[in-house]
Structure formats: structure tokens, C-alpha cells
């Protein structure tokens, strides 16, 4: 196949050069504004079921290497670029982007007007699309889109099937995998944490039985309201143990505390999103990838405090519980790819764990004195 079409659900057709897999694929068409990091994006489980448009015009110029993967098996449904590089040049390069996509069954299209596509998404919001052969009718493409069920089990698709341990001598952390990026695991092991990774549906009782020092809620794809079992679990553990949520984990923490979430028109996807920390009066550049956000007004009826906001659209970027040692952020402090401005949040999490231990000992001491 030398050429292919990308057909949007509104009937818009883009015709370009085919690369990657030759299979047809339906997905939600979104855009990412990052200039680099396409390998991390391709392997980010949060893109499960999506066709990603890269706004930077040249993609694939540094190839694919063994070090920058965020998961073993990619879940992305397609890639859209202005120009794909067939001859990558980088000292770490091991294969081309085209070769990687072919090996993983991911179709791509190049040579289309990605600015036009991005403007359509910004104006009308994200919409579903399908890759088809050139000459296929719009009617048949739209039928394929309409006959393909909306994906609502993305977390189940990308979460680990059973628990496993990454040993360490430091804090014992339970990492609830909703579609974990390996960058989160790297940051915890860098700090010598003993990490137990568990599936998304692991119960509060099972987590507490592991006697962890803290619980991390990872990133993941889709609507947070489609994971009610996780919302219940978080509600039951946050009064017992320190909790740190990232991206989807942030949204799930908010829902567990009684707040609400909403779908954004076209989401935040890129490595240059400015976020203001209201508690420190500082601004950070962050890496983001999400289509849903916490509704700020809904925080008023909860015990959650607004700690950070997005400077581009004022959406909620950080919350913290006023009573329990639980906090979360909407962006990615593990920065894969992106700036490392907020890497210190992992240290904040471990500091909260230490403070929680001190508080427990003080309470136990007071109780023994009373007895």
C-alpha cells in the first residue's frame, strides 16, 4: 500500500503516504504538540484506542532505540505525521519508525496537512477516525466507524494481569497499574523503593494486607468514571495510608473524594504545558496527556484543596486532601517525554510517608501514656 486515507467521522478525508502496518484501524483522533518524544508517545498506554497526530512536522528522524519505551506492547491505534523520516540518524538508533510500526501492527499516514487536521480538532473537538485504502467510499468508512463499538475498557486492556514485585530496600510502595508508564517505576526505583505493582481492580483490603508505606495511582487511558472499582478502593484506603495520584490516578482520587470529572474539548497532550503551583507561587512546564479533567466547582463540596492550575485554560492540575495524606497532579512528573521541573513530587510523596509514620508513632505514644 503506497497511499491511504484518514477519514474523520464528520466526513473529512485526508489522503497521504502509507507507512507502518497495512491494517485498517479505528480510533479517537487527537493531537500532541511535542517536538520530540514520539517513541515514548507511541508506547504510552494512556493512548490506548487513539490515533495520534503529531503537530511537529518531522517525525522519526532519530529512529527507535531500546531505552525510551514506556511499556512493552504499544496500545496506540495509529500515527499521523506531516513528514516521516525513512533514514534516521542518531547514535542510539536501532530501527526506523516505519519498521517499529509494522512490527507492532500500527498504521501510519504521512504527507497530509497536519495543521488543518489539528485546527479541525481544536474547533470541533476530538472525533473518531479510520484508516482506509485510497478510493474507499466515505459511506463505507463512516459505517466502519459507526459499527466499531466505543472503547470503554481501556484500563482493563493495559493494566497488569497479576501483581509483581520490583525489589528495593527503601519505602514499600504499592503501585496501582491503570496503564503505568515505566518512567514512574524508574523514579521510584531510583529512590530505592520496594515496589509492588498490582492490577487496577485490586481491592483496598488486598492492598492494605501488603502493609505498604504508600500507594501510587498511575496514569492510564479513558474516562475515569469507567473504573468504579478503583474509585471505591481509593475511597477506602486514603484515610489509612499516604496516596499519590498521577493523571488518571489524579482524576480517580478526585472522584473518590466526591468531586466530579468532565471531558475536555480536545484535551492536553504535549511536553510544554505551563502549570502554576498556587501554594508555592511557582510556574512549571509539564508533560501532559489527558482528555478528561477534574471539575473545579465540584471541589467545593469536598475536603480537597486546589493546589495547581493550568495557565492555558485554568483547568485543575493539582489537588490535596485537607485531612488525609493524599495528593495528586494531572500532569506527568516522571516526564517521559518532557521537562523535569516537577520531578521533586516523588520526593514530596516519600516525605509525606515519613511524616505519616511520625504521626502514627506520636498517636501511639499518647495512647500509651493515657493508658
Amino acid at each position: 500500500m503506497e497511499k491511504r486515507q484518514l477519514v474523520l467521522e464528520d466526513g473529512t478525508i485526508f489522503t497521504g503516504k502509507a507507512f507502518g502496518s497495512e491494517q485498517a484501524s479505528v480510533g479517537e483522533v487527537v493531537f500532541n504538540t511535542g517536538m520530540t518524544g514520539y517513541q515514548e508517545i507511541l508506547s504510552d498506554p494512556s493512548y490506548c484506542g487513539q490515533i495520534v497526530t503529531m503537530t511537529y512536522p518531522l517525525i522519526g528522524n532519530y529512529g527507535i532505540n531500546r531505552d525510551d519505551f514506556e511499556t512493552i506492547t504499544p496500545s496506540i491505534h495509529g500515527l499521523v505525521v506531516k513528514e516521516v523520516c525513512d533514514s534516521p540518524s542518531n547514535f542510539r538508533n536501532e530501527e526506523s519508525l516505519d519498521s517499529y510500526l509494522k512490527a507492532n501492527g500500527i498504521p501510519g499516514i504521512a504527507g497530509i496537512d497536519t495543521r488543518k487536521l489539528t485546527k479541525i480538532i481544536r474547533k470541533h473537538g476530538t472525533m473518531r477516525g479510520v484508516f482506509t485504502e485510497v478510493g474507499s467510499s466515505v459511506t463505507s468508512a463512516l459505517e466502519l466507524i459507526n459499527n466499531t463499538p466505543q472503547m470503554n475498557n481501556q484500563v482493563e486492556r493495559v493494566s497488569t494481569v497479576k501483581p509483581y514485585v520490583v525489589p528495593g530496600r527503601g519505602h514499600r510502595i504499592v503501585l496501582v497499574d491503570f496503564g503505568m508508564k515505566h518512567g514512574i517505576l524508574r523514579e521510584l526505583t531510583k529512590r530505592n523503593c520496594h515496589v509492588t505493582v498490582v492490577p487496577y481492580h485490586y481491592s483496598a483490603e488486598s492492598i492494605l494486607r501488603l502493609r505498604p508505606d504508600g500507594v501510587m495511582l498511575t496514569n492510564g487511558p479513558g474516562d475515569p468514571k469507567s473504573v468504579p472499582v478503583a474509585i471505591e478502593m481509593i475511597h477506602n484506603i486514603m484515610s489509612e495510608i499516604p496516596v499519590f495520584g498521577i493523571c488518571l490516578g489524579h482524576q480517580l482520587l478526585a472522584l473518590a473524594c466526591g468531586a466530579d470529572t468532565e471531558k475536555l474539548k480536545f484535551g492536553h497532550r504535549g511536553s510544554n504545558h505551563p502549570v502554576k503551583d498556587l501554594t508555592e507561587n511557582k510556574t512549571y512546564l509539564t508533560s501532559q496527556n489527558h482528555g478528561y479533567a477534574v471539575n473545579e466547582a465540584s471541589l467545593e463540596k469536598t475536603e480537597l484543596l486546589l493546589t495547581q492550575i493550568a495557565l492555558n485554560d485554568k483547568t485543575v492540575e493539582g489537588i490535596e486532601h485537607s485531612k488525609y495524606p493524599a495528593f495528586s497532579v494531572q500532569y506527568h512528573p516522571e516526564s517521559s517525554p518532557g521537562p523535569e521541573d516537577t520531578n521533586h513530587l516523588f520526593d514530596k510523596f516519600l516525605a509525606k510517608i515519613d511524616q505519616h509514620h511520625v504521626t502514627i508513632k506520636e498517636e501511639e505514644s499518647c495512647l500509651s501514656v493515657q493508658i
Side-chain angles (χ1 to χ4, degrees):
M1 186 187 299
E2 294 183 357
K3 289 190 175 182
R4 66 163 39 113
Q5 294 178 161
L6 170 64
V7 182
L8 304 182
E9 64 180 280
D10 67 354
T12 303
I13 301 175
F14 292 90
T15 302
K17 173 187 174 183
F19 70 103
S21 172
E22 294 188 0
Q23 68 184 44
S25 182
V26 177
E28 181 186 30
V29 183
V30 300
F31 66 86
N32 185 293
T33 58
M35 295 175 65
T36 60
Y38 55 81
Q39 181 173 335
E40 293 94 328
I41 291 165
L42 287 168
S43 58
D44 182 351
S46 295
Y47 284 109
C48 178
Q50 295 181 329
I51 296 173
V52 180
T53 304
M54 300 300 296
T55 61
Y56 189 71
L58 177 62
I59 301 298
N61 53 314
Y62 55 86
I64 300 289
N65 66 76
R66 69 175 189 175
D67 299 325
D68 293 339
F69 291 114
E70 287 303 314
T71 191
I72 295 174
T73 305
S75 304
I76 191 173
H77 276 204
L79 184 66
V80 181
V81 302
K82 172 63 178 174
E83 180 181 351
V84 61
C85 179
D86 297 323
S87 303
S89 177
N90 185 274
F91 71 98
R92 293 194 302 161
N93 172 51
E94 295 172 324
E95 68 176 314
S96 69
L97 176 59
D98 178 58
S99 171
Y100 175 75
L101 294 186
K102 280 186 169 69
N104 288 278
I106 303 169
I109 187 171
I112 73 164
D113 188 343
T114 51
R115 279 181 61 87
K116 178 181 178 181
L117 176 55
T118 301
K119 290 176 73 174
I120 289 174
I121 296 172
R122 284 182 60 88
K123 182 177 180 180
H124 301 289
T126 57
M127 62 183 76
R128 300 176 86 199
V130 61
F131 288 117
T132 64
E133 295 184 5
V134 173
S136 300
S137 68
V138 176
T139 302
S140 61
L142 296 181
E143 287 179 354
L144 183 56
I145 293 174
N146 294 330
N147 292 333
T148 303
Q150 291 274 8
M151 190 179 292
N152 58 12
N153 64 338
Q154 293 101 315
V155 170
E156 180 183 353
R157 286 171 174 257
V158 298
S159 177
T160 184
V161 176
K162 59 183 180 180
Y164 62 92
V165 171
V166 182
R169 294 293 186 181
H171 296 85
R172 302 181 72 87
I173 307 298
V174 166
L175 192 64
V176 187
D177 179 12
F178 301 113
M180 176 192 70
K181 294 171 68 177
H182 287 171
I184 297 175
L185 199 56
R186 284 193 292 267
E187 291 302 325
L188 292 174
T189 55
K190 183 193 301 182
R191 291 163 173 80
N192 203 30
C193 293
H194 178 94
V195 183
T196 303
V197 182
V198 300
Y200 76 98
H201 52 65
Y202 223 55
S203 69
E205 180 183 4
S206 297
I207 289 176
L208 294 175
R209 188 172 291 278
L210 294 172
R211 303 282 189 248
D213 297 314
V215 174
M216 275 212 66
L217 312 172
T218 76
N219 63 292
D223 185 347
K225 293 177 182 176
S226 68
V227 201
V229 64
I231 298 171
E232 180 183 1
M233 175 273 290
I234 297 166
H235 178 78
N236 291 332
I237 68 168
M238 63 183 178
S239 62
E240 303 290 331
I241 196 166
V243 175
F244 177 24
I246 292 175
C247 201
L248 182 66
H250 158 81
Q251 298 161 12
L252 291 170
L253 175 63
L255 290 171
C257 294
D260 196 13
T261 56
E262 57 192 359
K263 186 173 176 61
L264 299 173
K265 186 175 182 179
F266 49 82
H268 298 171
R269 297 175 180 89
S271 54
N272 54 356
H273 289 258
V275 168
K276 183 173 183 179
D277 188 313
L278 303 175
T279 60
E280 299 180 358
N281 197 29
K282 291 182 178 180
T283 297
Y284 300 102
L285 282 180
T286 66
S287 173
Q288 302 203 7
N289 171 22
H290 58 98
Y292 291 81
V294 175
N295 180 284
E296 182 178 354
S298 71
L299 296 176
E300 296 178 3
K301 61 180 181 180
T302 73
E303 294 180 296
L304 294 172
L305 304 174
L306 176 66
T307 58
Q308 300 184 24
I309 60 169
L311 291 181
N312 288 338
D313 60 6
K314 308 305 179 185
T315 52
V316 176
E317 291 288 341
I319 55 175
E320 188 157 357
H321 203 283
S322 60
K323 183 178 178 181
Y324 304 133
F327 73 105
S328 61
V329 291
Q330 181 62 81
Y331 49 85
H332 291 269
E334 84 284 353
S335 304
S336 301
E340 299 181 350
D341 295 26
T342 57
N343 195 258
H344 64 276
L345 290 177
F346 289 94
D347 298 314
K348 175 181 177 179
F349 176 46
L350 300 186
K352 276 189 173 292
I353 290 174
D354 292 336
Q355 181 58 49
H356 182 65
H357 286 164
V358 171
T359 302
I360 290 176
K361 289 180 179 180
E362 290 176 347
E363 291 175 350
E364 291 175 347
S365 176
C366 290
L367 183 60
S368 63
V369 170
Q370 291 175 359
I371 294 175

